[in-house]
């Protein structure tokens, strides 16, 4: 039991060190925040409040369970939806709709994951995207890490 806890702590330390190496900023629009307008960002944004407008990003976007987003469009590298979104979504890499999410709008992405118990109303267009990870030259653990998505990540 102690070895498992030690391995878990080492893994968490390694993940924290990796985040520092990447020097990515994390911004959170809190549950009491209401934003109306155009928002641009380059790293990671987590929305837990209300958003109305347009989002343009080259980073990662997470829309949490408590969030309500009424948008003209969202453009980002990846989008993970756990809350409610009304509007079109475009993600260069992936879109993930987690269980319990509500999405009303058209989506375009290279990779798509829709969990059970998702209310989705819209059309889907899949983009041609060459994977950045080379299956034949990467170590199996590196390749597995590149495939992990939010709903697979235990919290």
């Amino acid at each position: 039991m102690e070895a498992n806890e030690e391995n878990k702590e080492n893994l968490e330390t390694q993940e924290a060190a990796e985040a520092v190496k990447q020097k990515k900023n994390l911004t959170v629009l809190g549950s009491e925040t209401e934003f109306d307008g155009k928002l641009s960002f380059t790293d990671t944004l987590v929305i837990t409040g209300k958003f109305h407008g347009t989002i343009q990003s080259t980073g990662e976007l997470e829309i949490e369970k408590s969030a309500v987003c009424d948008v003209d469009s969202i453009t980002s590298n990846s989008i993970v939806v756990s809350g409610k979104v009304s509007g079109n979504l475009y993600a260069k890499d992936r879109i993930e709709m987690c269980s319990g999410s509500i999405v009303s709008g058209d989506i375009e992405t290279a990779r798509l994951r829709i969990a059970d118990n998702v209310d989705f109303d819209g059309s889907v267009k899949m983009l041609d995207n060459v994977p950045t990870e080379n299956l034949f030259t990467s170590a199996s653990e590196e390749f597995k890490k590149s495939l992990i998505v939010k709903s697979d990540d235990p919290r």
Side-chain angles (χ1 to χ4, degrees):
M1 211 47 141
E2 290 176 9
N4 284 340
E5 289 177 24
E6 187 175 312
N7 288 340
K8 187 175 180 180
E9 287 177 15
N10 287 338
L11 181 61
E12 289 172 359
T13 303
Q14 290 171 354
E15 289 172 354
E18 186 64 31
V20 169
K21 277 187 209 174
Q22 293 177 0
K23 294 184 180 180
K24 289 192 174 185
N25 294 314
L26 172 65
T27 303
V28 178
L29 293 181
S31 60
E32 296 181 14
T33 303
E34 292 187 31
F35 188 98
D36 188 358
K38 183 174 181 179
L39 181 62
S40 298
F41 63 95
T42 57
D43 289 332
T44 302
L45 174 67
V46 177
I47 299 174
T48 61
K50 294 180 181 177
F51 181 89
H52 179 81
T54 303
I55 297 175
Q56 284 286 136
S57 167
T58 56
E60 318 295 319
L61 174 63
E62 288 188 37
I63 300 168
E64 293 293 328
K65 284 189 182 288
S66 60
V68 177
C69 297
D70 182 16
V71 299
D72 299 318
S73 67
I74 296 176
T75 301
S76 190
N77 186 49
S78 73
I79 303 168
V80 177
V81 180
S82 297
K84 181 178 180 180
V85 177
S86 177
N88 297 329
L89 307 177
Y90 173 84
K92 181 180 175 184
D93 182 37
R94 71 181 172 101
I95 293 176
E96 181 177 353
M97 295 180 223
C98 300
S99 182
S101 63
I102 300 170
V103 178
S104 177
D106 299 336
I107 60 175
E108 289 185 40
T109 188
R111 296 187 300 159
L112 175 64
R113 182 168 189 177
I114 302 176
D116 292 338
N117 194 30
V118 169
D119 184 355
F120 172 61
D121 180 22
S123 66
V124 175
K125 179 180 178 185
M126 299 304 293
L127 303 174
D128 292 330
N129 188 13
V130 178
T132 56
E133 194 68 35
N134 185 337
L135 174 63
F136 299 105
T137 60
S138 64
S140 63
E141 286 303 314
E142 289 174 18
F143 186 71
K144 286 178 188 176
K145 284 182 183 178
S146 75
L147 298 175
I148 292 176
V149 292
K150 182 177 170 66
S151 63
D152 289 341
D153 189 17
R155 286 190 175 195

